Amino acid sequence: MVDVHIQRDSLGRIPVYAHPGDSGADLCAALKQSFALYPGETRTIPTGLRVRLPVHTELQIRSRSGLASRGIVVA
């Protein structure tokens, strides 16, 4: 078991697994209001989270398959 320390601000939500057996947890945006993302546009989206990991571990953020198929990807 790995100890991961997560600190969140008032809008941050702790990532959760949607279904048993999922390989990754869903990360939510920490937004006060919604916005439009236009084709070809690049935006930085806050998560409201700070994460501290043990040495020799990594955290990966990946695009959701449904969004990636529509061109919305994590850089």
Side-chain angles (χ1 to χ4, degrees), residues 3-15 27-28 30 45-54 59 61:
D3 278 333
V4 176
H5 298 274
I6 301 175
Q7 195 173 32
R8 63 187 182 97
D9 66 19
S10 62
L11 295 175
R13 290 190 276 177
I14 301 298
L27 182 63
C28 297
I45 311 297
T47 63
L49 302 175
R50 293 185 344 173
V51 179
R52 186 175 70 214
L53 300 170
L59 180 138
I61 299 175

Side-chain angles (χ1 to χ4, degrees), residues 14-72:
I14 301 298
V16 295
Y17 293 93
H19 305 96
D22 281 355
S23 62
D26 292 330
L27 182 63
C28 297
L31 301 171
K32 292 182 181 179
Q33 59 188 13
S34 62
F35 65 90
L37 185 63
Y38 298 101
E41 184 178 5
T42 301
R43 302 261 325 233
T44 300
I45 311 297
T47 63
L49 302 175
R50 293 185 344 173
V51 179
R52 186 175 70 214
L53 300 170
V55 176
H56 305 298
T57 62
E58 68 177 27
L59 180 138
Q60 296 183 9
I61 299 175
R62 299 181 183 200
S63 305
R64 291 182 67 148
S65 58
L67 294 176
S69 68
R70 294 186 291 168
I72 301 173

